[in-house]
Amino acid sequence: MMNNNFYRKIGFGIRRQSQVPKDPLSWALDQVDKDFGIKWPMPVPSAESLRVKYSEFRVAGDKTLRDKHKDSRVAYEQALQKLGWELGSSYWENLELSARHYSAINSDQPFFERLWWFWGNHFTVIDKDWLPQFLTGAYQREVIRPKLEGNFADLLFAATTALPMLHSLDNRFSVGPDSKFGRSLEKKGKTPTINENHARELLELHTVSSETGYSQDDITHMAYIMTGWENPWPFKPTKFNKDMHQPGKHSVLGKTYESKSFNSKPTLEAACQDLAVRPETAKHLAFKLVRHFISDNPTSQMTAPIEAAWIESNGHLPTVHKKLAEVIYQFKDQPKFQQPEVWLVQVANILGINWPMPASMFQHDFKFEPSAEIKLISFALQELGHSPYRAKQPNGFSDVSEDWISPELLIRRLAISRRVIEGPADKNPYKQNQRQRYFDIDSIVALNFKNPEEVNALLSKVEKPEHKLELLLSSEEMLFA
């Protein structure tokens, strides 16, 4: 008998009245070669258009409005709030999240959607300086997602040089001591310094991991290679500033790269190419993929096939993802805790709920704060402690169950599931098709759980359909897949 947990382990479960794939593994394998785009029935602004709004907002907040209202903090905060409404500081993140969830539920590629979420978290941009409100969603949509069709090296370079990542890790403050700008600082009695944040995360988090045993010199020389890559004030597009770049030869993990002061792009690209195909990177990322999809405690039996696929294909992501799907299928009986955001979308999907808010409800005049209905999605994720664009640390959100299992967080899941099921206020027509559609619990259980008899036995302990539903959504069977 097929273990239907597989569809929640690899995607978001089977929606009510949907057909279960006859060949689950082929169904998954067919999803990873090409991205057929985000399924969202309204335009989503480009990253560049949002960068322009972000720049205007930050310049006003840091300079224009601050100077204008320097004698009144209240007046400054009111003016900044008004400008935020006009530029969408409380709108764009909710739009991005809604497009993300809508696509997860309505796409024919739920495994691809899950992979996109994984890599977005791998290349985390931290919650800093209004990035989530304007840029992080577009970064994941325009930088991360398209690169999943190709090689990890290209994804790595694109993420490394993306404006939100550069700003998040302060690379624009990294000045080569022998650069033109560095020498000019010395003439003024100032000491030019490199910022190692980005270089350290590139090695530790994004590629080879700390277990490789790289040295401080490796970090320093990687930082030298990255000097000059910046998002210049006032938050202009990413560019390479040759005047800040440290020229010369730089050795990273035994490989020497020669930086020409007039152009470091080939040097950084070459370093990313080399890091992407190292066996240590294959090992680190195979471990992370297994820990996200299969088990908190990956075994070599789980990781070795993915490592081998990575090395043999030089990090070709569709090849790696297909091997991952095979391993997930092999270990489909291994229970894996589902992160809160994944769980939330699975709840909406298997119950057949219209989540998120329909695109028609996102009409907004930018004169006031967005409605509570528009902001419901960010509210729900904040309550669950898992706002995907608001990680506090560069290592992103944890995949390990012990970081998520607590009485408070489980109670929040139950409360949020009630809120999602109920939908918005009665005055909205959206709620009219929500009532009573989600109580066909027998079919929900049959479609999405490996042990429907055991689950139904658990649910038989309560009588009311709504109580059965609450018990199901908070059960161990639902929290794990």
Side-chain angles (χ1 to χ4, degrees), residues 133 240 394:
Q133 288 90 331
F240 175 70

Side-chain angles (χ1 to χ4, degrees), residues 263-283:
N263 186 5
S264 174
K265 182 176 180 179
T267 310
L268 180 56
E269 275 190 311
C272 286
Q273 289 281 347
D274 290 336
L275 288 169
V277 298
R278 288 185 68 98
E280 300 94 333
T281 299
K283 181 180 180 180

Side-chain angles (χ1 to χ4, degrees), residues 320-388:
V320 172
H321 295 156
K322 287 178 181 179
K323 183 58 64 176
L324 170 65
E326 293 175 3
V327 177
I328 295 172
Y329 189 74
Q330 180 184 352
F331 291 94
K332 56 185 175 293
D333 292 328
Q334 177 75 35
K336 176 67 182 109
F337 186 80
Q338 302 298 289
Q339 288 179 317
E341 186 189 21
V342 174
W343 170 88
L344 174 63
V345 175
Q346 288 180 354
V347 167
N349 191 41
I350 70 174
L351 299 187
I353 293 171
N354 291 332
W355 177 263
M357 298 296 108
S360 60
M361 293 186 66
F362 273 81
Q363 303 302 319
H364 182 56
D365 61 9
F366 296 95
K367 294 179 181 179
F368 302 100
E369 184 79 4
S371 68
E373 288 74 33
I374 288 176
K375 296 196 298 181
L376 176 58
I377 190 167
S378 60
F379 168 79
L381 292 167
Q382 288 167 18
E383 284 296 295
L384 292 171
H386 192 190
S387 299

Side-chain angles (χ1 to χ4, degrees), residues 56-170:
E56 182 179 348
F57 182 78
R58 290 299 311 279
V59 170
D62 294 354
K63 176 67 176 170
T64 312
L65 294 179
R66 195 174 293 278
D67 290 346
K68 182 178 180 180
H69 301 289
K70 61 183 178 181
D71 297 325
S72 173
R73 181 162 186 83
V74 172
Y76 164 75
E77 291 178 347
Q78 289 175 342
L80 187 64
Q81 181 185 58
K82 184 174 183 295
L83 181 64
W85 290 343
E86 294 170 357
L87 294 176
S89 64
S90 298
Y91 178 80
W92 303 118
E93 181 182 11
N94 286 283
L95 180 64
E96 294 281 358
L97 289 169
S98 295
R100 172 184 172 103
H101 284 200
Y102 185 92
S103 193
I105 291 173
N106 293 280
S107 171
D108 294 327
Q109 301 173 282
F111 181 36
F112 187 95
E113 301 293 330
R114 284 286 301 272
L115 289 165
W116 175 41
W117 291 19
F118 169 83
W119 288 112
N121 189 59
H122 178 72
F123 289 107
T124 285
V125 168
I126 62 172
D127 183 0
K128 173 182 176 179
D129 295 342
W130 298 85
L131 288 173
Q133 288 90 331
F134 287 94
L135 299 182
T136 305
Y139 152 77
Q140 292 202 13
R141 176 167 47 84
E142 292 193 8
V143 176
I144 304 294
R145 186 174 177 119
K147 297 298 182 183
L148 300 188
E149 299 177 349
N151 293 317
F152 178 70
D154 297 329
L155 169 61
L156 178 63
F157 180 72
T160 298
T161 57
L163 185 155
M165 184 69 76
L166 291 170
H167 182 71
S168 173
L169 296 172
D170 297 322

